[in-house]
Amino acid sequence: MSITQRVQQWATFGRVWHVYDCSYQNPFDSAKVIVKYLKGMQKPIYHPMNDCGDHVVCINTKQIALPGDEWTKRAYFHHTGYPSSATWTLAWELHSKDPMMIMKKAIYRSLGGNLQRRHTMQRLHLFKDDKVPQEVLDNITNQIRQLRPVPQRLDHIDQEVIDNFPKIMDYPEDYLPKAIK
Amino acid sequence: MNHSQFLISGFLRPPFYNGVGRQINQLQRLTIKFCKSHGGSKGMRDFIENHLVNYAKENQSVVVYVKPRRHRSPVIVAEYLNGDRRWMSAQNRNHEEILKWLSLLSLQAGDTEPIRYRKNWHTDCPSIQGPWTPFTHKNPAFNNIAFPDKELGKQLNMPETATEKLLRLVQEQKNTKNE
């Protein structure tokens, strides 16, 4: 193999690092998208026996948004193996203990049963906030688009924008808003 | 596992550039062995009497040897340009059958072993651009972006929100007033 062919081989099978911002995203819908990148299914060279999966860096996993009443209804089961040691932890409880666990379990589950699953999970890097080590950030060359819009908080909008927002009328100077009961 | 039960796999390969400029007949030498007295060689003797001279005239690039031998079965041996040698018995074949076999042998390129084609096409130059890499068709602007980027991560094709619509209507109103 000549040196150009060798470099071509490295280029084709080089692992790409993707970043995904989990803030306000449904972890179960996001997992389906992230799994495709972890397995390398977005590549034209994909084959199940072809080791071409990419790395995915998930940031802001603390900010995930579960649909409906899943925070209080979804239970995570764990059994240590000893008698009467089965536990059912609610999603909000688990999230307060480990803010990365719900995202990790969602991705692990959607990878499907396979001997490669543990190895594929090694290419997933979860961070609870946007504080990512510089050596990880240096590798990233692509970003996965979010699945739903991130709502904007009123206290994050500039005061200038709020003041210039179109209004039908101004409240009188001595106007008292109705007291909240 | 008995590997002799499976076909050898390979690619469709013509002889070295044959037919690109000129066509070279791959059959080079033909040896016909027969007996002058036995009944099994009857068809071969008929073939030599009736068709062989005509065949040799039509295929001038083929060297034809005729070898009589006592009390042995008739045999056709074809030797090809790539070194393949194909032996076949012509025992009890009549002269028409032998002519058909010979025309087949002279059309072949010498691949006597049947192979299983891994692909039904073959090219010496699979791709001019080169194989795909993760950087093929990639926007070069990505080289200068600091990831994670707010705009790049945003969801696409969102319908217009009520706030955006309100701001747009006000802007349109302002524009018409100024005109």
Side-chain angles (χ1 to χ4, degrees):
Chain A
M1 189 181 264
S2 73
I3 192 157
T4 44
Q5 282 174 311
R6 203 182 315 154
V7 172
Q8 178 72 64
Q9 179 82 2
W10 294 337
T12 305
F13 287 94
R15 296 201 195 275
V16 178
W17 288 58
H18 308 270
V19 64
Y20 182 74
D21 190 354
C22 298
S23 51
Y24 291 96
Q25 304 302 304
N26 183 339
F28 313 109
D29 290 347
S30 308
K32 288 177 193 161
V33 176
I34 290 166
V35 158
K36 285 184 184 173
Y37 286 89
L38 284 175
K39 288 181 178 174
M41 286 169 98
Q42 86 282 14
K43 298 183 178 185
I45 58 167
Y46 172 75
H47 188 267
M49 289 173 75
N50 187 356
D51 185 15
C52 64
D54 285 344
H55 290 261
V56 178
V57 180
C58 291
I59 59 170
N60 295 327
T61 53
K62 203 180 163 91
Q63 308 294 325
I64 52 168
L66 260 63
D69 54 0
E70 295 240 340
W71 282 119
T72 51
K73 299 294 178 199
R74 182 176 282 264
Y76 285 89
F77 176 77
H78 181 70
H79 200 298
T80 62
Y82 288 98
S84 71
S85 60
T87 53
W88 286 265
T89 316
L90 294 177
W92 66 268
E93 219 176 337
L94 185 71
H95 197 61
S96 62
K97 281 179 179 162
D98 186 352
M100 297 176 282
M101 193 55 94
I102 290 178
M103 197 69 207
K104 186 180 176 180
K105 279 179 179 287
I107 292 169
Y108 186 77
R109 192 183 163 155
S110 60
L111 268 174
N114 192 327
L115 283 179
Q116 285 298 313
R117 174 150 67 160
R118 302 289 176 119
H119 304 287
T120 312
M121 283 300 283
Q122 296 291 308
R123 278 183 247 120
L124 176 72
H125 311 276
L126 296 159
F127 294 96
K128 63 177 178 183
D129 45 25
D130 54 3
K131 290 192 190 72
V132 185
Q134 190 58 39
E135 65 259 31
V136 175
L137 279 179
D138 289 343
N139 292 326
I140 293 168
T141 52
N142 192 30
Q143 186 155 9
I144 304 171
R145 285 198 183 273
Q146 290 176 319
L147 298 179
R148 44 184 70 202
V150 177
Q152 205 176 14
R153 268 166 57 175
L154 185 60
D155 56 335
H156 287 179
I157 303 173
D158 293 339
Q159 192 56 44
E160 194 188 347
V161 176
I162 295 169
D163 292 342
N164 293 334
F165 200 80
K167 292 181 278 189
I168 297 170
M169 54 94 186
D170 286 318
Y171 286 114
E173 290 272 324
D174 55 347
Y175 175 75
L176 286 174
K178 200 174 179 183
I180 301 159
K181 283 174 186 172
Chain B
M1 203 195 320
N2 186 2
H3 283 276
S4 64
Q5 289 178 347
F6 298 100
L7 284 177
I8 297 164
S9 66
F11 291 98
L12 192 64
R13 264 189 183 285
F16 188 72
Y17 289 110
N18 195 18
V20 174
R22 58 177 180 164
Q23 171 73 28
I24 290 174
N25 196 0
Q26 297 292 304
L27 179 63
Q28 292 292 299
R29 193 183 293 156
L30 197 68
T31 311
I32 292 168
K33 300 173 189 174
F34 70 104
C35 176
K36 287 183 182 175
S37 55
H38 259 261
S41 297
K42 172 78 168 56
M44 185 60 91
R45 290 197 296 272
D46 288 347
F47 171 77
I48 292 167
E49 280 175 23
N50 299 318
H51 304 290
L52 186 62
V53 175
N54 202 15
Y55 174 84
K57 269 182 192 163
E58 280 174 10
N59 302 282
Q60 293 203 344
S61 62
V62 185
V63 184
V64 182
Y65 295 98
V66 179
K67 184 182 175 188
R69 50 185 192 167
R70 268 181 232 151
H71 318 318
R72 309 288 297 275
S73 60
V75 156
I76 301 165
V77 178
E79 282 163 88
Y80 291 93
L81 196 56
N82 64 354
D84 277 356
R85 183 171 176 276
R86 185 161 178 185
W87 181 99
M88 68 175 289
S89 169
Q91 173 81 337
N92 295 332
R93 297 260 180 274
N94 63 37
H95 60 100
E96 283 164 354
E97 270 180 290
I98 288 168
L99 185 63
K100 280 181 184 172
W101 278 114
L102 280 190
S103 62
L104 176 70
L105 289 173
S106 54
L107 286 174
Q108 281 183 339
D111 304 316
T112 51
E113 288 284 313
I115 61 166
R116 174 175 61 80
Y117 291 135
R118 290 198 206 162
K119 288 198 172 77
N120 289 329
W121 48 267
H122 178 75
T123 169
D124 286 336
C125 185
S127 168
I128 291 171
Q129 296 174 8
W132 174 89
T133 75
F135 310 105
T136 310
H137 311 309
K138 203 80 178 161
N139 188 356
F142 276 37
N143 293 331
N144 296 327
I145 291 173
F147 293 103
D149 186 71
K150 275 261 184 276
E151 282 305 309
L152 263 180
K154 252 186 192 172
Q155 191 214 11
L156 284 180
N157 307 326
M158 277 299 294
E160 191 179 36
T161 61
T163 311
E164 284 164 0
K165 187 177 180 182
L166 179 65
L167 288 170
R168 179 172 59 79
L169 289 175
V170 170
Q171 192 59 44
E172 279 171 13
Q173 216 172 35
K174 273 183 191 169
N175 292 346
T176 47
K177 266 183 194 170
N178 291 342
E179 285 166 11

